Amino acid sequence: MDPVKIIEIKKSVFADNDMDADLLRKELKQRGVFLLNIMSSPGSGKTTTLIRTLNLLKDRIRIAVMEADIDGDVDAVKIREATGIPSIQLHTGGMCHLDAEMTRQGLAHIDLDHTDLVILENVGNLVCPAEFDTGSCANAMILSVPEGDDKPLKYPLMFSVCDLVLINKTDVLQCFDFDMDRCRKYIRKRNPRAKVLPVSARTGDGIDAFAGWLLEKVNNWKQ
Amino acid sequence: MDPVKIIEIKKSVFADNDMDADLLRKELKQRGVFLLNIMSSPGSGKTTTLIRTLNLLKDRIRIAVMEADIDGDVDAVKIREATGIPSIQLHTGGMCHLDAEMTRQGLAHIDLDHTDLVILENVGNLVCPAEFDTGSCANAMILSVPEGDDKPLKYPLMFSVCDLVLINKTDVLQCFDFDMDRCRKYIRKRNPRAKVLPVSARTGDGIDAFAGWLLEKVNNWKQ
């Protein structure tokens, strides 16, 4: 296998990221490509969740993955090895988030004419990525059980910009004082329209529901 | 009890944060006040670890706590209720880190003439806080077992600026594929001089070692 492609992305030159993000979304709509931006804390299980989900979807739609990290290419390599799906690594040069122009630089390395879904795995961080619209067609975040059910109170913006909240690592619920109902209540407080799905990337529990949600989004986007 | 004091801190006006941080450190040295900056991901157990540790130290040295968060005052209230130690809440106005001037704004609300140790609990984030010197006399970080042993590879700067790495939640080691030796090796790769202490804030395991490390630092600082 060739080495994973590593793209060194540069800081945006656009003053108005929101306008640029809307433009990118329009371009993606015209091309029939759905871009999902996934955010979370470090270590919440983004990559493992993706591997499970992509293996369920890869024979039904054409997928590509962009892994954003400050350094390394561990995640892009993992995704490609475990799913066979084209994956590239974006290096943010120390930056803690991606904006629309940085996302566009990554997309330029993907064959969009033969892709239905692009997954953007954002930098592991519950603060900054929430502040920058990447141009994505939907935002999802992963909160993992060990992080605690109070996170929607402490990182309000992240929860309010997400269409979907996956609550991962439900297989270790018995090891932690995590109250699922309380967590749902806190999420609703920040964002009444967010869909909440408990999953376990390790056992595969709930992953079919996430795959179903994603497939529906991709199909609706193409209409 | 009075409500916890909430300070809305403002963005620094100083162009050179490093110079300002050095200045703050000198001032703290002159006053014999040791400032520890603690960083971690959201949900790694910073507050619980602190409560355990402060209860071991509070009869031996005079302590104050500054809790930095984007919103809320949950942590400052928790610390004060569980330890009786003066705690204030710093609101960063959406910002993902603290710099030296923001730290100084917090310190202005603490009675430094009667304090030996100030703990600064930084914003939960493995990226941005590592980039800004707060003027602290030492940096510590908490990595929790559920986040995974590969984090030093993915967040190199954070590990390289820390004098101490606490590996928390060792009580759930059996629930996760976390290799302590591998993690120590990755940390050494980033920062050979960092001290590594496995702890469990839940059971109290290892907390005495952290308290001992801190006490020694505070005593040396006053000489």
Side-chain angles (χ1 to χ4, degrees):
Chain A
M1 247 186 204
D2 296 334
V4 154
K5 194 182 263 189
I6 300 181
I7 322 294
E8 308 286 341
I9 50 179
K10 288 169 193 68
K11 209 171 168 177
S12 174
V13 294
F14 289 90
D16 190 339
N17 180 60
D18 285 344
M19 205 189 284
D20 192 33
D22 283 338
L23 188 66
L24 178 56
R25 234 180 327 270
K26 262 185 213 149
E27 291 165 17
L28 291 168
K29 179 79 182 168
Q30 278 162 5
R31 303 186 76 162
V33 177
F34 187 84
L35 173 66
L36 178 72
N37 172 32
I38 300 196
M39 298 173 282
S40 83
S41 285
S44 68
K46 282 197 295 299
T47 311
T48 318
T49 305
L50 276 184
I51 287 172
R52 282 265 186 196
T53 312
L54 298 181
N55 277 330
L56 286 183
L57 290 174
K58 67 183 177 186
D59 296 331
R60 308 181 65 177
I61 49 175
R62 298 164 301 173
I63 312 173
V65 175
M66 303 196 290
E67 290 284 333
D69 269 305
I70 293 167
D71 204 359
D73 64 356
V74 221
D75 289 342
V77 172
K78 255 195 222 166
I79 294 267
R80 203 179 57 174
E81 286 181 356
T83 66
I85 285 173
S87 306
I88 59 174
Q89 184 78 43
L90 309 182
H91 276 182
T92 63
M95 263 178 298
C96 50
H97 66 275
L98 293 175
D99 62 16
E101 168 57 19
M102 292 153 83
T103 304
R104 196 192 299 276
Q105 289 175 33
L107 290 171
H109 296 268
I110 290 177
D111 176 11
L112 293 181
D113 289 336
H114 300 95
T115 303
D116 305 304
L117 166 66
V118 178
I119 306 261
L120 170 61
E121 193 183 316
N122 214 311
V123 183
N125 181 333
L126 284 192
V127 185
C128 323
E131 291 168 30
F132 294 86
D133 189 341
T134 57
S136 65
C137 316
N139 293 320
M141 73 158 291
I142 304 184
L143 171 69
S144 64
V145 164
E147 294 170 59
D149 52 33
D150 62 340
K151 289 302 156 291
L153 300 182
K154 299 175 80 175
Y155 300 91
L157 186 63
M158 176 56 76
F159 287 84
S160 69
V161 301
C162 280
D163 305 281
L164 174 71
V165 179
L166 296 174
I167 302 185
N168 191 23
K169 306 194 187 179
T170 54
D171 54 294
V172 294
L173 265 171
Q174 83 288 353
C175 299
F176 294 93
D177 313 317
F178 185 99
D179 184 328
M180 190 64 80
D181 290 336
R182 190 163 53 202
C183 191
R184 282 180 184 273
K185 196 182 79 187
Y186 291 155
I187 296 170
R188 264 201 307 277
K189 193 172 155 184
R190 296 303 182 192
N191 183 355
R193 64 170 184 80
K195 190 172 174 66
V196 179
L197 288 178
V199 300
S200 163
R202 191 197 264 172
T203 67
D205 252 25
I207 295 294
D208 51 342
F210 174 39
W213 178 88
L214 203 44
L215 200 57
E216 196 187 324
K217 289 277 174 193
V218 172
N219 289 335
N220 287 344
W221 188 251
K222 285 182 171 287
Q223 282 161 12
Chain B
M1 250 189 202
D2 297 333
V4 155
K5 193 181 265 187
I6 300 182
I7 321 294
E8 308 286 342
I9 50 178
K10 287 169 194 69
K11 209 172 167 175
S12 176
V13 292
F14 289 90
D16 189 337
N17 180 60
D18 285 343
M19 205 189 283
D20 192 32
D22 283 338
L23 189 65
L24 177 55
R25 232 178 332 266
K26 264 186 209 148
E27 292 164 17
L28 290 168
K29 180 77 183 171
Q30 278 162 6
R31 301 185 77 163
V33 177
F34 188 84
L35 173 65
L36 178 73
N37 173 32
I38 299 195
M39 300 173 281
S40 83
S41 286
S44 67
K46 280 198 294 300
T47 310
T48 319
T49 305
L50 276 184
I51 288 172
R52 282 266 186 194
T53 312
L54 298 180
N55 277 331
L56 286 184
L57 290 174
K58 68 182 179 188
D59 296 330
R60 307 183 65 178
I61 48 174
R62 299 162 301 174
I63 311 171
V65 174
M66 303 196 291
E67 291 285 332
D69 269 306
I70 293 167
D71 203 1
D73 64 356
V74 219
D75 289 341
V77 171
K78 255 195 220 167
I79 295 267
R80 203 177 58 174
E81 285 181 356
T83 66
I85 285 173
S87 304
I88 59 174
Q89 183 79 43
L90 309 182
H91 276 183
T92 62
M95 264 177 297
C96 51
H97 67 275
L98 293 175
D99 62 16
E101 168 56 20
M102 293 154 83
T103 304
R104 197 193 298 276
Q105 289 175 32
L107 289 171
H109 297 268
I110 290 176
D111 177 8
L112 294 181
D113 290 336
H114 300 95
T115 304
D116 305 304
L117 167 66
V118 178
I119 306 260
L120 170 61
E121 194 183 314
N122 214 312
V123 183
N125 181 332
L126 284 194
V127 186
C128 323
E131 291 168 30
F132 294 87
D133 189 342
T134 58
S136 66
C137 316
N139 293 319
M141 73 156 292
I142 303 184
L143 171 69
S144 64
V145 164
E147 294 169 60
D149 51 33
D150 63 339
K151 289 302 156 291
L153 300 183
K154 298 174 80 174
Y155 300 91
L157 186 62
M158 176 56 78
F159 287 84
S160 69
V161 301
C162 281
D163 305 282
L164 175 71
V165 178
L166 297 174
I167 302 185
N168 190 23
K169 306 194 187 177
T170 54
D171 54 294
V172 295
L173 264 171
Q174 82 289 353
C175 299
F176 294 92
D177 313 318
F178 185 100
D179 185 327
M180 190 63 80
D181 290 336
R182 190 163 51 203
C183 191
R184 281 179 183 274
K185 196 182 77 187
Y186 290 156
I187 295 170
R188 263 200 309 276
K189 194 172 156 183
R190 295 306 184 191
N191 183 354
R193 64 172 184 80
K195 191 174 174 67
V196 179
L197 288 177
V199 299
S200 164
R202 191 197 262 172
T203 66
D205 252 22
I207 296 292
D208 50 342
F210 175 39
W213 178 89
L214 202 44
L215 200 58
E216 196 187 322
K217 288 278 176 194
V218 172
N219 289 334
N220 288 344
W221 187 251
K222 285 182 171 283
Q223 282 161 13

